[in-house]
Amino acid sequence: MKELVDRIQQDGNVLGEGVLKVDSFVTHQVDPDLMEKMGNRLAEVFADSRITKVVTIEASGIAPALYAAQKLNVPMIFARKAKSLTMDEELLTSSVYSFTKQVTSTISISRKFLNEDDKVLIIDDFLANGQAAKGLIELCQQAGAKIEGVGIIIEKSFQDGRQLLKDMGIRVVSLARIESLVDGRVSFRDADA
Ligand code: 5GP
């Protein structure tokens, strides 16, 4: 997606250790116009998949997932990283190792929001080693829901996430694919959408 690539080139910052900082338009401050376009684009790609739920993980997945869900006219569910006192129902849970925070957290979704009739589109802001997506896939599988695909804003193609999901037979659609983050420069490869 050209607009996203241009914005990453203009406002993205390369940190050491292969991390891209996009906190001025995706992960902290959010550009609503660009976010809406990205959510809509992912929704368009999966328009024929009869999606019934969009699933993401807090916090930065929520904005693109919400716009995609609105466009698909279905609910959006975000997995929680901390158990809330109000979550007293049966929970679907899995463990996710965070690439950026370097901690493992338990993520959960209330059982009542996903079932075996659901066809799910998983959305997240970044795809690195695929651990967040894998955790969300496990939650959906526990509910017996079908995963139609994973939609990603920024994929770091030099990490293993896409291959991990491909090996699981999951379709991955990324709006920007980063080939490398070397010497403070972002190099792209062709995106999926
Ligand atoms: P994965 O689970 O695929 O290894 O990493 C994806 C998660 O880690 C995303 O939810 C995102 O929050 C975070 N992440 C991974 N790489 C980056 C990065 O380069 N920049 C930022 N801002 N977040 C990242």
Side-chain angles (χ1 to χ4, degrees):
M1 186 176 171
K2 185 173 182 312
E3 205 173 331
L4 172 60
V5 168
D6 290 347
R7 190 65 179 269
I8 293 170
Q9 269 163 340
Q10 189 187 305
D11 292 332
N13 291 303
V14 179
L15 304 183
E17 316 276 322
V19 173
L20 179 69
K21 195 169 178 185
V22 286
D23 64 345
S24 62
F25 60 105
V26 176
T27 59
H28 195 10
Q29 174 173 267
V30 175
D31 178 334
D33 288 337
L34 178 60
M35 196 56 81
E36 182 172 24
K37 284 178 191 158
M38 297 192 294
N40 286 351
R41 185 74 198 101
L42 290 172
E44 280 162 22
V45 172
F46 288 92
D48 296 330
S49 301
R50 296 167 168 262
I51 302 294
T52 63
K53 304 271 165 68
V54 174
V55 169
T56 189
I57 181 168
E58 64 177 353
S60 304
I62 293 177
L66 186 59
Y67 281 119
Q70 185 179 46
K71 184 80 175 173
L72 290 165
N73 200 21
V74 299
M76 182 277 287
I77 308 164
F78 61 95
R80 289 175 176 265
K81 288 179 180 160
K83 190 175 180 297
S84 158
L85 280 177
T86 58
M87 289 175 88
D88 52 359
E89 313 88 354
E90 195 189 335
L91 297 178
L92 310 163
T93 61
S94 67
S95 296
V96 172
Y97 177 76
S98 164
F99 173 76
T100 43
K101 301 198 181 85
Q102 305 199 334
V103 291
T104 299
S105 50
T106 302
I107 62 166
S108 52
I109 288 177
S110 285
R111 177 77 182 80
K112 65 182 177 191
F113 293 132
L114 279 177
N115 63 56
E116 57 280 355
D117 296 327
D118 279 318
K119 291 159 83 74
V120 173
L121 170 60
I122 291 172
I123 286 190
D124 204 4
D125 57 340
F126 273 88
L127 178 63
N129 292 319
Q131 294 306 301
K134 183 166 161 270
L136 293 172
I137 289 166
E138 284 168 7
L139 295 185
C140 295
Q141 287 171 338
Q142 285 168 29
K146 183 161 187 284
I147 296 128
E148 291 295 321
V150 173
I152 297 290
I153 301 299
I154 302 171
E155 172 191 320
K156 294 189 295 180
S157 306
F158 55 89
Q159 292 183 255
D160 299 332
R162 176 177 281 254
Q163 190 60 46
L164 179 89
L165 301 181
K166 210 173 143 205
D167 291 345
M168 296 170 83
I170 307 263
R171 179 183 179 197
V172 180
V173 175
S174 302
L175 298 183
R177 298 187 69 194
I178 293 176
E179 178 81 50
S180 67
L181 295 172
V182 175
D183 295 334
R185 282 217 320 272
V186 188
S187 307
F188 294 90
R189 62 163 71 179
D190 286 344
D192 301 303

